[in-house]
Amino acid sequence: MATSSRLDAKIPQGSLEDKWEKYKSSVPLVNPANKRNIEVIVVGTGLAGASAAATLAEMGYKVKAFCFQDSPRRAHSIAAQGGINAAKNYQNDGDSVHRLFYDTIKGGDYRSREANVHRLSEVSGNIIDQCVAQGVPFAREYGGLLSNRSFGGVQVQRTFYAAGQTGQQLLLGAYSGLQRQVGMGTITMYNRHEMLDVVKIDGKCRGIIARNLITGELERHSAHAVLLCTGGYGNVFYLSTNAMGSNVTAAWKAHKRGAFFANPCFTQIHPTCIPVWGEHQSKLTLMSESLRNDGRIWVPKKQNDTRAGNAIPEDERDYYLERRYPAFGNLVPRDIASRAAKERCDAGYGVGTSKLAVFLDFSAAFHRYGQGEANKNNITNASESQILEWGKAVVKEKYGNLFDMYKQITGEDPYEVPMRIYPAVHYTMGGLWVDYNLMTTVPGLYSLGEANFSDHGANRLGASALMQGLADGYFVIPITVGAYLAGEIRTGHISTDHEAFVKTEKEVKDRIEKLISIQGNTSPELFHRRLGKIMWDKCGMGRNEKGLKEAIVEIRALREEFWKDVKVMGKIGDFNPELDKANRVADFIELGELMCIDALTRNESCGGHFREEYQTEEGEALRDDENYMFVSAWESIDTEKWELHKEELIYDNIKIAQRSYK
Amino acid sequence: MSAGNMRLTLKVWRQSNTNTQGGFENYNLDGVSPDMSFLEMFDILNEQLIEENKEPVAFDHDCREGICGMCSMFINGQPHGPLKGVTTCQLHMRSFQDGDTITVEPWRAGAFPVIKDLVVDRDGFDRIISAGGFVSVNTGNAQDANNLPIAKEDADDAFSAAACIGCGACVAACKNASAMLFVSAKISQLALLPQGQAERSIRAEKMVAQMDAEGFGNCTNTHACSAECPKEISFENIARMNREYLGAKVSSKAL
Ligand SMILES: Cc1cc2nc3c(=O)[nH]c(=O)nc-3n(C[C@H](O)[C@H](O)[C@H](O)COP(=O)(O)OP(=O)(O)OC[C@H]3O[C@@H](n4cnc5c(N)ncnc54)[C@H](O)[C@@H]3O)c2cc1C
Ligand code: FES
C-alpha cells in the first residue's frame, strides 16, 4: 500500500538515532527581533499547552493562551495520578532510549511512527530535568535521589511520580512557567474562553473565534500559527475518567476546516476504575495503574459467587492475569488487562452487585511490606496484626490519596476489603493527524498532546501521556514551529477585520442562535448520555461489524433528533454552561459517527481496537499487518461523508512480531 | 444501590451576574441516592429545573475527583461542606440525612466577585502566582535531575505544601477573607527546596504585595483556613511565610 499523496509526514532523512539531532541543527530559525512580531495562539493549558506557551514566550514569540476553565492550572492534566516515564536508567535496570522506544512501539501494537516515538524517547530525560529545576517535588529515596516505580507493559522501573498526584505537580510546574510569562507580559491569558472555530485565509490557519464564557461575546483572535493542545475526546462515551469539561470541539472544528482526523477509533479503556454504581452517575474514577505494582487482580473460581472477597479462601481465587500472562502478570498493558476483566465478567465470574467488577487486592502487599518493616527493624516476634499494620502504613505512603478517594466514593475501606474495579474509557490515542513537525494538514495549524494522534499507536502505555504532552510542548514544538514561522516574518500583523474572520464568526453565531432557538424537549445532557450508551455498547471494548453498522444508523438518527429537539436554557449573551454543553455534544455526536466508521473500516484487531471477528484462538487481538499497517487519516467532505487517506507505517528499526506478554 | 429515596430541601443562592443583587431560592428534590456525589445531586436539580423551564443553577466543576480545584460550594456554612479533607465534588449524599435542608452559597469574599449563582472569579490567585510563584528557569537550562539530591523529608514537606489545589476554600472560610494559606503554601514549597533559594526573598515580597493589592484580608490566626482546607494544607506554612517575608524585608532589595 502506498501513502496517500495528501499526507506528507515530513520525516527527516538519516538513521533513526540521528534524525532529531540533525534536524534540530538544520531547522530554520527566526531571529529574536522577528520573533517579537510573530504571534502564536495556544489553545489549551494542560501539560502540552502550558509547556508550549511558556517555552515559546521565553523564546520571544508573542503568545495568546486559551482555556475554558477559570484558571490554566485546572486543565484536565491536573488529574493524572500515577506518573511520567523517562529513559533515565537511574535504577540501572537496563533501561535506555532504545528500550523506551521499543516498549512504546510494541505497546502501541505496531501502529505508531518510528521517528516520532524515537524522538519522544530521546527527549524524555530532559523533561525530568526541566521539571525538577522548576521545583516539582517528585518522590525521592532516603539518599535524596529520585524514586521510580513500574507501570504496565514494561520490565524496567522508569516511572517518576509524586504520590498519586503526578499530573498535578507537573502541571503546576508548567503553569508556574506560564504565569511567569504572563507576569512579564509575553503571554496574554484568556481563561473562561472556548475556541469555537478556526479561521483560514488563503488556505493557512490565521486565527480562531472564541466565546468569552462569562459575557457570551464572540471574539476574533489572529496569529501566525495556532496550536491546538485541547486534550482527548474520551467523553464521547459520556462516562469516562476524563474531567467533565473535556471535549472534542476544538479538534472537531479544525477537522471540519480541513485537518484530517487520524485513527479516531483507537480509544483506551483503562482496566482499573471504580465500577459504575447507577444511572445518575456523571463520571468514572480511575484507580491509578501504579496500584497494579502491588495489587493482585482476581475473581472467584466459582461462577456467580456472592461471598464477600475476604470470605473466599485463597485456593478458590483465580488470579487470571498471573495465570494467563506469567511474564508480566498484573502488569500487562491496559488493553489486555481490560479485555481479560471483561472476559471473566461476561463468563459469569464478576463480583459485586452489578457483577461487572473484579477484585484488586492488596493483602499480599500488606504482608510483604509489613514483613519488610519488621526485618528492617530487627523484630522477629511481631504478631500477624502488627505486620499488617506496618504493611498498611507503607501502602498508605505510596497510594494514600487513591485509597482515600476509593473510600470516599464507594463507602468501603480498601485497607480492610479488596477494591472492586472495572474497565472504563480513559484516553484517546486517535486525534488530529500531524506530521513530524506536529503540523496538521492545515498549514499553520498544529496539534500537541492528547489532541494529536502521534505517538501511541493503537494502545498507550501508562505514564506515557504526560511524557508526550511535555515532550511536545517543551522540546518539540519550540524547534519545529520555526520551520513554518521562518516563512512568516514578512507577513506582519494579521487583521481580524479580514472577511474570513467576519464570515467564520457569523457561522459560529448562526450555530449558537440555532441551538438556542430550537427549544425542544431534551437537555444536552440527555443526548450526551444516549450517545455514550451507543458508543459504549457498540464501539467500546469489543466491536463487531453488525454492532458498528447499527451504531452508525443510531447516531445519525440521534443527530437529527438533536437538531430538532434539543432544549438549551439561558441566554446567548450570558454565562451559560448549558449552551457550552450543547455545542460540545453536537460535535461529539458527529465524532461518534466517524469513530464507528473508522472501527468498521479497520478489519483487524490491534491494541485498544478489538474487533470480535479478528482474534486468536486464545482470545488475543489478531492484527493484519499486510492490509492494515497504516494510519487512517479521515478528511471531512460533508455531513455523513468522509474520505479515507492512508499513511503507510514503515518499520526499519524494529522487528514486527505478534505482541506477547506471556 | 442507586435507587434514590432521599428527599431534600435546597436553599440555593441565585444571582444573575456580578452587578445584580442575589438571593436564596428554595427547591425540593426527591429521589436522591446516598451514593450520589453532591454535584450529581445538583445535576438532578438542574435536570428538574430544565424540565420546569427554569434556568439551571450555574456552578463551577470539572475533574470531579478533588484535584482541579474548580468546584467551590459553601455548604451549610462551610466551604466544601461538612467533611474534613474533602472537596464538594467528592462529598457524597450519604453524609446527609433524608429530609435535610441544605444551604448552598458561593465563596464570599470581596476579592472573589460572584460571576453567576455559585460561580466566582478567582483570577486574583493566578495574578499572585504571576508575581513570583515560580522558579525562573527557562526550558532547556536544566542540569541532570539527580545532580541535585534533596533530602526526602524536604521533598515530602515541599510536596505537602504543593498539594494545594487553589480552590479558594481558605479565603471563603476566613472571616477576613485572607489568602495567606494559599500564598504561604506556594512560598513554602519553593523555600523548602534548593531550586527555590535564589529568588527566595524577592518571591515572598512580591507575592505578598500582590496578595494585598488584590484586596485579600489579613490573617488574625483563627486557623479556619487550614481547618476547612480540602487538602489539609498546614497552618505552619503561614508561620513560615511570615518568617520568609520578614527576612526579605530586612534585607530588601526589591523596593
Ligand atoms: C484520571 C486520569 C489519570 C491519568 N493519569 C496519567 C498518568 O498517571 N500518566 C500519564 O502519562 N497520563 C495519565 N493520564 C492521561 C493524561 O493525563 C492526559 O492524556 C494528558 O494530561 C493530556 O494533556 P493535554 O495537555 O494534551 O490536555 P489537557 O490536560 O486535557 O488540557 C486540555 C486543555 O485544552 C483546553 N481546551 C479544550 N478545548 C478547548 C476549547 N475549545 N477552547 C479553549 N480551550 C480548550 C482546556 O481548557 C485545557 O486547558 C491520565 C488521565 C486521566 C483521565
Ligand atoms: S471538580 Fe475538581 S476539585 Fe472538585
Side-chain angles (χ1 to χ4, degrees):
Chain A
M1 139 219 352
T3 291
S4 150
S5 60
R6 301 280 302 281
L7 297 170
D8 177 3
K10 302 213 174 85
I11 296 168
Q13 296 298 313
S15 75
L16 185 68
E17 288 75 20
D18 305 332
K19 274 183 207 298
W20 177 235
E21 279 306 316
K22 281 201 181 139
Y23 185 67
K24 273 200 293 191
S25 51
S26 66
V27 86
L29 299 176
V30 180
N31 86 28
N34 286 329
K35 280 200 192 105
R36 282 196 285 277
N37 300 319
I38 291 202
E39 294 173 277
V40 182
I41 285 176
V42 180
V43 188
T45 59
L47 289 180
S51 58
T55 307
L56 292 170
E58 286 162 14
M59 293 166 74
Y61 293 109
K62 272 166 74 174
V63 177
K64 286 182 175 182
F66 294 79
C67 71
F68 61 73
Q69 291 91 348
D70 74 324
S71 164
R73 67 180 287 155
R74 307 203 202 282
H76 167 56
S77 294
I78 200 92
Q81 301 174 349
I84 177 167
N85 290 329
K88 282 286 201 186
N89 194 29
Y90 283 163
Q91 304 306 321
N92 195 25
D93 54 5
D95 202 6
S96 64
V97 167
H98 185 82
R99 191 179 287 275
L100 173 54
F101 159 73
Y102 172 81
D103 287 343
T104 308
I105 296 263
K106 176 185 172 192
D109 218 354
Y110 307 94
R111 290 293 175 267
S112 44
R113 254 189 226 145
E114 277 194 341
N116 286 52
V117 175
H118 200 272
R119 175 177 66 189
L120 174 67
S121 308
E122 283 173 66
V123 304
S124 65
N126 301 128
I127 297 172
I128 304 303
D129 302 340
Q130 178 63 24
C131 294
V132 166
Q134 289 167 341
V136 170
F138 283 119
R140 287 178 183 268
E141 306 292 348
Y142 281 101
L145 301 181
L146 292 163
S147 175
N148 289 116
R149 61 182 166 209
S150 302
F151 257 61
V154 302
Q155 289 173 315
V156 293
Q157 290 196 310
R158 64 160 75 99
T159 306
F160 296 79
Y161 64 98
Q165 288 154 249
T166 316
Q168 179 197 27
Q169 295 309 317
L170 296 175
L171 183 60
L172 293 181
Y175 158 80
S176 71
L178 180 143
Q179 289 302 133
R180 173 171 161 244
Q181 297 298 321
V182 170
M184 290 158 77
T186 51
I187 297 180
T188 312
M189 183 66 223
Y190 297 85
N191 58 9
R192 293 203 198 264
H193 274 65
E194 184 136 318
M195 177 202 128
L196 293 180
D197 217 333
V198 166
V199 180
K200 274 165 72 180
I201 300 178
D202 299 331
K204 287 182 175 173
C205 177
R206 290 302 195 190
I208 63 168
I209 305 294
R211 182 167 181 271
N212 177 329
L213 299 183
I214 298 180
T215 63
E217 267 165 89
L218 294 181
E219 297 172 5
R220 305 173 196 172
H221 296 274
S222 67
H224 300 87
V226 173
L227 278 43
L228 300 185
C229 316
T230 46
Y233 51 85
N235 277 346
V236 67
F237 291 90
Y238 185 73
L239 284 181
S240 86
T241 62
N242 289 7
M244 300 298 289
S246 297
N247 69 85
V248 77
T249 290
W252 196 251
K253 286 300 168 345
H255 175 55
K256 304 281 276 216
R257 297 276 175 205
F260 293 1
F261 209 106
N263 299 336
C265 82
F266 287 172
T267 40
Q268 176 162 82
I269 316 280
H270 197 295
T272 54
C273 302
I274 299 179
V276 175
W277 61 260
E279 181 196 353
H280 289 288
Q281 189 154 2
S282 58
K283 76 158 290 175
L284 294 170
T285 302
L286 175 74
M287 287 287 109
S288 166
E289 175 161 314
S290 57
L291 293 173
R292 287 198 273 146
N293 270 293
D294 287 312
R296 297 177 71 196
I297 293 178
W298 61 276
V299 291
K301 280 188 180 161
K302 218 169 67 191
Q303 278 171 327
N304 298 316
D305 197 331
T306 51
R307 288 175 291 176
N310 284 341
I312 301 177
E314 194 56 35
D315 62 349
E316 292 178 39
R317 301 175 175 193
D318 176 15
Y319 295 92
Y320 57 88
L321 288 178
E322 297 170 26
R323 170 169 60 77
R324 284 179 67 180
Y325 307 99
F328 283 70
N330 292 294
L331 282 172
V332 291
R334 293 174 176 176
D335 52 338
I336 292 176
S338 291
R339 273 199 294 282
K342 179 176 189 300
E343 189 276 330
R344 283 292 81 187
C345 293
D346 289 352
Y349 298 92
V351 300
T353 35
S354 68
K355 297 282 165 206
L356 286 177
V358 300
F359 289 124
L360 176 62
D361 193 336
F362 291 86
S363 45
F366 296 151
H367 270 275
R368 194 175 71 246
Y369 286 123
Q371 193 60 55
E373 290 299 292
N375 294 349
K376 239 196 280 177
N377 297 307
N378 279 327
I379 303 172
T380 48
N381 57 351
S383 70
E384 182 59 32
S385 67
Q386 259 174 331
I387 290 187
L388 272 183
E389 277 321 300
W390 293 328
K392 284 176 188 173
V394 175
V395 169
K396 189 177 166 76
E397 176 161 340
K398 292 186 151 196
Y399 314 109
N401 68 320
L402 300 173
F403 275 57
D404 291 349
M405 191 146 80
Y406 184 87
K407 185 171 177 196
Q408 189 51 36
I409 291 173
T410 62
E412 285 179 2
D413 182 356
Y415 291 105
E416 302 305 327
V417 298
M419 286 185 180
R420 280 175 296 112
I421 51 152
Y422 197 68
V425 174
H426 178 59
Y427 181 87
T428 49
M429 283 74 70
L432 292 174
W433 185 90
V434 289
D435 63 17
Y436 189 75
N437 294 330
L438 305 182
M439 199 196 279
T440 67
T441 46
V442 175
L445 181 65
Y446 292 79
S447 181
L448 283 64
E450 191 174 339
N452 74 25
F453 88 106
S454 79
D455 295 348
H456 307 294
N459 173 59
R460 174 175 71 78
L461 290 181
S464 285
L466 303 183
M467 169 172 72
Q468 184 222 332
L470 290 179
D472 287 358
Y474 282 135
F475 297 108
V476 177
I477 199 73
I479 308 270
T480 60
V481 79
Y484 177 77
L485 291 178
E488 290 291 329
I489 54 178
R490 286 188 193 83
T491 308
H493 178 72
I494 298 155
S495 165
T496 54
D497 295 332
H498 190 284
E499 59 179 313
F501 275 96
V502 179
K503 184 162 170 277
T504 312
E505 187 191 294
K506 167 99 177 30
E507 285 167 15
V508 172
K509 186 164 169 269
D510 290 348
R511 168 160 146 145
I512 289 176
E513 281 169 1
K514 174 91 202 278
L515 281 171
I516 288 264
S517 68
I518 296 169
Q519 289 302 320
N521 295 304
T522 310
S523 69
E525 180 77 10
L526 292 180
F527 276 110
H528 194 183
R529 226 180 267 171
R530 282 167 59 191
L531 173 69
K533 183 157 171 30
I534 301 173
M535 295 302 292
W536 178 247
D537 289 346
K538 296 184 172 159
C539 196
M541 256 193 288
R543 303 147 176 202
N544 61 55
E545 182 180 343
K546 179 168 165 286
L548 288 165
K549 285 186 169 158
E550 287 165 5
I552 293 168
V553 174
E554 290 168 33
I555 294 170
R556 286 178 178 164
L558 189 72
R559 191 189 66 237
E560 289 191 2
E561 192 184 328
F562 176 92
W563 286 102
K564 284 195 198 106
D565 193 44
V566 73
K567 177 173 181 179
V568 183
M569 301 298 299
K571 294 189 280 290
I572 291 179
D574 197 2
F575 187 90
N576 188 347
E578 285 298 304
L579 178 56
D580 307 338
K581 170 114 205 182
N583 243 318
R584 295 170 187 172
V585 171
D587 294 334
F588 274 137
I589 294 176
E590 293 182 16
L591 165 75
E593 181 182 341
L594 179 62
M595 287 170 70
C596 293
I597 292 173
D598 187 44
L600 185 62
T601 310
R602 192 169 276 278
N603 289 312
E604 64 161 351
S605 293
C606 59
H609 170 62
F610 193 70
R611 278 283 300 270
E612 286 154 359
E613 303 94 320
Y614 307 101
Q615 50 181 307
T616 66
E617 268 169 28
E618 292 151 317
E620 305 294 345
L622 187 62
R623 283 197 333 257
D624 177 353
D625 291 338
E626 203 168 317
N627 297 301
Y628 290 93
M629 194 114 88
F630 61 77
V631 176
S632 305
W634 296 92
E635 178 185 11
S636 167
I637 308 287
D638 202 348
T639 312
E640 299 182 4
K641 226 174 136 209
W642 285 270
E643 188 174 332
L644 174 63
H645 303 274
K646 297 175 184 174
E647 178 194 340
E648 189 186 358
L649 291 166
I650 297 163
Y651 295 94
D652 291 328
N653 298 275
I654 271 190
K655 207 169 138 290
I656 295 165
Q658 195 203 338
R659 203 164 59 127
S660 167
Y661 292 95
K662 291 192 190 254
Chain B
M1 240 203 301
S2 66
N5 48 15
M6 292 169 78
R7 285 161 169 261
L8 301 168
T9 304
L10 296 169
K11 216 174 137 196
V12 182
W13 185 263
R14 305 295 312 251
Q15 182 173 336
S16 315
N17 56 51
T18 311
N19 304 319
T20 50
Q21 280 236 307
F24 284 106
E25 293 273 345
N26 287 325
Y27 305 103
N28 294 320
L29 198 61
D30 290 354
V32 174
S33 150
D35 288 329
M36 265 173 204
S37 72
F38 200 81
L39 296 184
E40 283 164 350
M41 184 269 289
F42 258 77
D43 292 341
I44 301 194
L45 170 67
N46 277 347
E47 283 296 325
Q48 181 176 312
L49 290 174
I50 292 170
E51 254 169 54
E52 295 166 2
N53 284 321
K54 293 183 184 142
E55 204 176 326
V57 181
F59 61 92
D60 265 334
H61 65 112
D62 199 20
C63 73
R64 297 204 176 185
E65 285 188 5
I67 194 76
C68 74
M70 191 123 177
C71 63
S72 53
M73 294 183 186
F74 200 76
I75 301 164
N76 287 342
Q78 284 180 289
H80 296 302
L83 289 195
K84 214 174 140 48
V86 170
T87 53
T88 300
C89 59
Q90 293 286 77
L91 180 64
H92 280 67
M93 296 315 295
R94 67 180 87 89
S95 297
F96 297 87
Q97 302 289 324
D98 185 27
D100 275 359
T101 297
I102 308 176
T103 307
V104 186
E105 298 167 78
W107 286 172
R108 304 241 186 235
F112 286 164
V114 171
I115 291 175
K116 184 171 182 172
D117 298 339
L118 304 174
V119 175
V120 301
D121 176 347
R122 290 171 283 195
D123 290 358
F125 272 12
D126 288 332
R127 288 188 291 266
I128 292 173
I129 299 296
S130 278
F134 46 75
V135 174
S136 295
V137 54
N138 284 0
T139 304
N141 285 334
Q143 60 171 346
D144 184 86
N146 261 354
N147 283 346
L148 185 70
I150 298 174
K152 186 173 183 311
E153 308 85 78
D154 291 340
D156 288 350
D157 287 350
F159 172 79
S160 299
C164 165
I165 58 175
C167 64
C170 46
V171 176
C174 175
K175 64 180 171 37
N176 309 318
S178 164
M180 293 277 262
L181 193 65
F182 167 78
V183 179
S184 67
K186 185 50 71 182
I187 288 181
S188 288
Q189 177 203 342
L190 297 176
L192 283 161
L193 294 171
Q195 301 92 307
Q197 297 312 307
E199 296 165 285
R200 193 167 167 170
S201 301
I202 192 154
R203 174 180 308 118
E205 279 191 62
K206 287 196 162 174
M207 289 180 75
V208 169
Q210 188 64 36
M211 174 180 87
D212 292 341
E214 296 290 342
F216 291 105
N218 283 324
C219 173
T220 49
N221 286 308
T222 62
H223 296 226
C225 53
S226 60
E228 297 289 350
C229 171
K231 296 293 136 179
E232 306 185 62
I233 301 292
S234 158
F235 195 78
E236 258 175 60
N237 290 307
I238 295 188
R240 190 180 293 111
M241 165 166 129
N242 285 334
R243 288 196 299 275
E244 294 289 315
Y245 182 69
L246 285 177
K249 276 291 175 197
V250 168
S251 61
S252 181
K253 289 174 232 148
L255 299 180

